[in-house]
Amino acid sequence: MQPMPDYSLSVSEQLKSLTVSGALQIDAAQIHVAKCLDRVLSGLKRRLPAAKASALGWLFANKKKPSEAVKGLYIHGSVGRGKTMLMDMFFAMAPCAKKRRAHFHEFMTDVHNRIAAHRLKLKQGKTKQADPIPIVAAALYDEAELLCFDEFTVTDIADAMILSRLFSELFRRGCLLVATSNVEPDNLYRDGLNRSLFLPFVDLLKQYVEIVTLDSPTDYRMEKLDSQPVYLTPINERTDMAMEASWTQALHGRKAQPLAIPMKGRSIHVPLAADRIARFSFADLCEKPLGPADFLAISKRFDAIFLEHVPLLGPDKRNQIKRFIILIDTLYDHGVRLYVSAAAMPENLLTHAGGTEDFEFHRTVSRLFEMRSAEYLALHHERRAAE
C-alpha cells in the first residue's frame, strides 16, 4: 500500500530537502516556480473546510467574492528544466479527493470520446440535450476538481475549436488547472488553421491561471544521457542488422506475428508483435491516418516498441512530423521503452527551420535523448512492474 502524501509539506520544502541531500542542484528558477505551486496548494487547503460543509459552498462563495478564487498555474519554459519534476511534487501533495494528472493529448482523446458518446445518445433519443459540452464538462468536473496537464500543447484543430467552450464550463464550476508547457500561452496553436477562433481560449486561460516562466540555465535531461544501444543511425545494412539482433534478443525465442488492436469499429494494424513488444516502421505509424487515441492504445498494449527507418523530415512531411511528435510524447508519457533506427541523430532529423513543427520538435529531440538514458530505462521497469 502506498503511503499517504504529507499535505503539511510544500513543494519548496521538498525541493530544498532534495538539494540538501545532494540529489538535486540548487536552482533559483525552480525555487521560484515551487513557491508559485505552494500558493496553489495553500489555496486548495483554504477551501477544504467549505468543501466539507457543503459540496458547493466554496463555489457560491467565489461567485460572491471572485477575488478570493484560487488561480491555477501555467508553467512554461525550455525542455529539460524540471517542469515535470515540480508537477510530480505538486500533484502528490495536492489535498484533493478528486484530482487528475494526464498528458494533454490523452485528456482530449477522452473528451472527444465523451462528446461522441453523448451525440450517439442524442441520435438514439436517450437525451434531449443537443449541446454535449456542458454535459461533458460536468462529468469531468465531477471526477476531478483539479486538472494537471504535463506538456500542454495544441496542434489539432478539433481540440482548438472546443477548448474555449469546454474550459469556460470547467472554470465556471470551479475546476483548477495546473499545466506545464514548452509554449507560452500566446504561442499556443501558433500558425494553426482558423487560429482566430482559438484566441478566446488564450484570454480565458490568462484569467484563470497565473503564467510563470521556468528559465533554468541547465537542461537536466541532457545531463542524464547515458548512451544505450537503442538509437541506431544512419539507416544502412549495419544498423538494420543491429536492429534485427536487438529484436531477436527481445523475443527470447518467441514467435512474432501480426496482430490487430480493436479501435472503435476499426483496428490498428501491428506488423509484428509478441506478448508486449511490437515492431513498426515509421511508415506504419506516421504515414497512415493515425492520431493520439491510436498511439495511446499502442502505448497501453506494449511495453517496448521497435521503430524502424525514421527518415529525414522535410517540409513535405508536415503531417508525418505532427504524428511523430505525438507518438513520441505518448510513448514517453507511458514509460514505453523505444528502440529506433533513423536517418540522423534526433537534433538533425528535422531538415527545415520555422513554423509550429520546428518549435514542437525541440521537445521531441529532448525526449528521444532521455528515452536512451539509464534513468528513463529504470523508470520504464518501475512503471511496468507496477501495472
Side-chain angles (χ1 to χ4, degrees):
M1 182 180 294
Q2 292 291 326
M4 290 294 291
D6 186 351
Y7 294 143
S8 66
L9 289 176
S10 69
V11 179
S12 298
E13 288 168 340
Q14 184 167 345
L15 192 62
K16 182 179 179 181
S17 69
L18 290 171
T19 58
V20 169
S21 70
L24 293 177
Q25 302 174 23
I26 296 175
D27 189 315
Q30 290 182 356
I31 292 171
H32 171 67
V33 172
K35 290 179 179 178
C36 294
L37 288 166
D38 288 341
R39 173 194 58 75
V40 182
L41 284 177
S42 297
L44 286 171
K45 291 171 184 176
R46 282 197 307 271
R47 79 185 197 184
L48 279 177
K52 290 180 181 178
S54 169
L56 295 176
W58 67 269
L59 177 57
F60 293 134
N62 285 342
K63 284 185 175 180
K64 294 177 182 178
K65 301 179 181 179
S67 61
E68 294 182 5
V70 183
K71 291 191 76 171
L73 196 66
Y74 184 100
I75 308 162
H76 68 93
S78 301
V79 295
R81 265 58 183 182
K83 299 187 297 294
T84 298
M85 174 190 69
L86 293 170
M87 174 75 90
D88 286 339
M89 294 179 186
F90 167 80
F91 187 78
M93 297 176 192
C96 303
K98 297 178 180 179
K99 56 185 177 180
R100 179 177 179 181
R101 167 84 182 273
H103 191 283
F104 180 71
H105 294 306
E106 182 178 347
F107 174 79
M108 290 308 299
T109 296
D110 181 29
V111 168
H112 288 297
N113 288 342
R114 291 172 190 250
I115 290 173
H118 180 85
R119 286 174 174 162
L120 179 60
K121 285 184 179 180
L122 180 66
K123 184 177 180 180
Q124 295 172 339
K126 295 180 180 179
T127 180
K128 295 182 179 180
Q129 175 65 42
D131 185 359
I133 298 297
I135 303 298
V136 170
L140 290 168
Y141 178 69
D142 187 56
E143 296 168 10
E145 65 184 66
L146 170 66
L147 284 176
C148 292
F149 294 141
D150 205 13
E151 305 296 359
F152 191 109
T153 183
V154 184
T155 58
D156 187 272
I157 187 172
D159 295 346
M161 293 304 99
I162 67 170
L163 278 172
S164 182
R165 293 197 58 232
L166 177 67
F167 274 88
S168 290
E169 293 286 341
L170 287 171
F171 288 146
R172 183 178 66 81
R173 286 170 167 79
C175 187
L176 194 68
L177 174 66
V178 175
T180 71
S181 180
N182 300 331
V183 188
E184 60 182 308
D186 287 331
N187 282 332
L188 285 170
Y189 197 53
R190 189 175 67 179
D191 303 325
L193 187 64
N194 294 327
R195 187 170 187 265
S196 61
L197 300 178
F198 171 77
L199 292 179
F201 172 70
V202 176
D203 294 334
L204 183 72
L205 192 63
K206 291 178 179 179
Q207 181 183 348
Y208 283 93
V209 302
E210 177 188 358
I211 313 298
V212 62
T213 305
L214 179 53
D215 275 333
S216 171
T218 305
D219 185 339
Y220 294 101
R221 291 181 181 176
M222 296 301 288
E223 284 196 342
K224 293 177 183 177
L225 184 59
D226 179 14
S227 184
Q228 302 288 328
V230 295
Y231 191 99
L232 301 168
T233 188
I235 299 171
N236 56 28
E237 185 178 355
R238 179 185 61 81
T239 53
D240 282 348
M241 290 176 63
M243 179 67 89
E244 187 65 33
S246 294
W247 173 251
T248 301
Q249 184 177 13
L251 286 175
H252 288 294
R254 294 170 293 183
K255 183 180 179 180
Q257 58 188 6
L259 63 79
I261 302 175
M263 193 71 184
K264 297 180 184 176
R266 57 184 177 86
S267 61
I268 304 168
H269 175 64
V270 183
L272 285 174
D275 295 336
R276 293 189 64 83
I277 64 171
R279 188 170 179 176
F280 299 89
S281 69
F282 177 87
D284 293 326
L285 294 179
C286 300
E287 293 183 0
K288 293 181 179 179
L290 302 180
D294 302 289
F295 298 144
L296 179 61
I298 289 169
S299 72
K300 289 182 175 180
R301 174 63 178 80
F302 299 110
D303 292 339
I305 297 292
F306 286 71
L307 181 63
E308 296 185 280
H309 298 168
V310 178
L312 295 176
L313 302 170
D316 59 323
K317 290 184 168 61
R318 291 194 67 181
N319 289 333
Q320 293 93 325
I321 293 168
K322 181 184 291 188
R323 292 190 190 103
F324 185 61
I325 289 170
I326 297 172
L327 171 66
I328 299 303
D329 275 350
T330 309
L331 297 179
Y332 172 89
D333 194 55
H334 288 81
V336 177
R337 185 163 186 172
L338 179 65
Y339 295 78
V340 180
S341 70
M345 292 296 288
E347 67 271 25
N348 296 321
L349 282 174
L350 204 64
T351 62
H352 66 288
T356 303
E357 290 80 16
D358 180 44
F359 194 78
E360 295 292 332
F361 205 77
H362 286 295
R363 181 178 73 249
T364 302
V365 170
S366 177
R367 290 190 159 180
L368 285 170
F369 272 107
E370 186 175 356
M371 291 169 88
R372 298 165 56 192
S373 71
E375 288 86 349
Y376 179 86
L377 297 179
L379 180 62
H380 155 83
H381 290 301
E382 290 176 9
R383 286 181 177 179
R384 296 300 172 173
E387 292 179 353

